[in-house]
Amino acid sequence: KMGGSSVSDDWEFIANEAQTLLMIGCIGEGKSATGNSILGRNAFQLRSCFGAVTRTCEIQRTRLEDGQILDVIDTPGFDFNAESGLVGNEIGRCIDLADDGVHAVLFVLSVRTSFSKEEQAAIQYFKKLFGTKISDYMIVVYTGGDKLEDDDSLNDHLDHSCPDDLKEVLKMCGNRQVFFDNKTEDPAKKAEQLRELLFHVNMVVQMAGGKPYTSELFEEVKMKLRNDSVEVNSLLGDLKQGVTELKEQLQRFSFVEQQRRITKMKSFSPATLIADVSFDFQQSLVRANLQILAESKMNSTMHSLEKQLEEERTARLGAESKIRELKDSLEKAQRETEELTVKHRSYSCYKCRRHVSFHDDIISTNFQSKKGKAFLFAHVRNVVVGTNEEKRLTTGLHTIADIYCVDCNEVLGWKYEKAVEPSQKYKEGKFILELCKIVKDNW
């Protein structure tokens, strides 16, 4: 959960552009109920028994009190006992429902059940369906909040029952996770869990450079999967053709043998019996040789398929390793660049010591926050800007937004987006950092 706000909670949000949220997961994890909680109404039909109600993709829209428009897409629950190809095609169709693409993917899990092999396999299936880039847009949403003890937080629950496979999923999606109680009637709790989800959505949008996951990206993934399967399908076709030819040969031998036996029965003699036995033995040898040939060809083809699949798997793992190395190199270069640029007196987050601004960027030191003295800065770095809200301060009505440390998510102050009073216009686009939230560096 994010840190407390620097200003009071009675803000009025400002409308933003529409954002599309795609919900995925296994059957019975609470996707439809979560969608209804986000929409603030019962738009998606809930399951009434052991089967899944959602069989096709469905999109619903809502406008929040702050004017923000949300498009929520519900998808069929993944079931390994069903035809996964049909489910996958239906889920893939959801990309076309989003006019501007998908801004965040909500992977819904229930805290009432352990992270099963089916859910782990579903993650791998969705990555194969959408491509590994889909993890950049993913947020884990836990449902079943009503089943936890009152004094048991999400972190406490995960500390006791988070399997290694789930930890890998959280690491893959940048540890973005939020907790939903879809049965609560408390308006404050509903608003808080939605606000926390939208914070993670905004983080995903900012980290993606404002570029949503679009149908073009999905088509690239589908094209690659089709190309990878062409050669496999060709080999399987050759195998089926070979088996068909062998069956036809066996049928021809069987027909010839039956005709010969009918002829022999008409002129039965001991010599004929000996010849018949000899012919039967020869036919048995032919069948045995054909069976050995068929098994050999099938084994050879299967071995070739297994070898090709293993080579493709090795190539994918190598590519993923290369991507991780490039990301690590980029992060290292960014850190080294920051260390080289911070040559003058500067300020850092008090909690994780991430650089946030220079002393030369201070405009005024005569500001006050709820927690004490604060400085007005022209520029800040390594922060995430939260949601715009209106607030009446001592100097008049302003539109402001909390700013968070990009590493530890600690609230460091706020940004002035708009000032109503002409005399306060100089603050627009500037930042407040509370002295209790920053420390001096390089002094």
Side-chain angles (χ1 to χ4, degrees), residues 50-118:
F50 294 103
V53 169
T54 306
R55 298 188 181 278
T56 60
C57 293
E58 181 181 355
I59 185 170
Q60 294 287 344
R61 168 169 288 193
T62 187
R63 183 185 294 272
L64 304 180
E65 293 181 357
D66 62 352
Q68 172 71 60
I69 298 175
L70 293 180
D71 289 332
V72 183
I73 301 177
D74 193 11
T75 62
F78 194 82
D79 182 6
F80 285 89
N81 295 321
E83 297 187 36
S84 60
L86 297 178
V87 177
N89 291 336
E90 182 62 27
I91 294 176
R93 190 180 68 83
C94 70
I95 300 297
D96 296 329
L97 296 179
D99 293 336
D100 299 322
V102 174
H103 295 84
V105 178
L106 311 184
F107 182 58
V108 182
L109 295 172
S110 173
V111 297
R112 289 173 289 190
T113 58
S114 60
F115 188 67
S116 65
K117 294 295 183 182
E118 286 76 11

Side-chain angles (χ1 to χ4, degrees), residues 299-312:
N299 291 335
S300 176
T301 304
M302 292 303 296
H303 178 71
S304 177
L305 288 173
E306 292 174 354
K307 182 179 179 181
Q308 180 182 352
L309 292 175
E310 182 62 27
E311 290 174 352
E312 291 178 356

Side-chain angles (χ1 to χ4, degrees), residues 13 32 139 314 333 365:
F13 295 146
S32 299
I139 302 170
T314 302
T365 60

Side-chain angles (χ1 to χ4, degrees), residues 269-279:
S269 68
T272 302
L273 178 60
I274 294 174
D276 192 42
V277 171
S278 177
F279 186 81

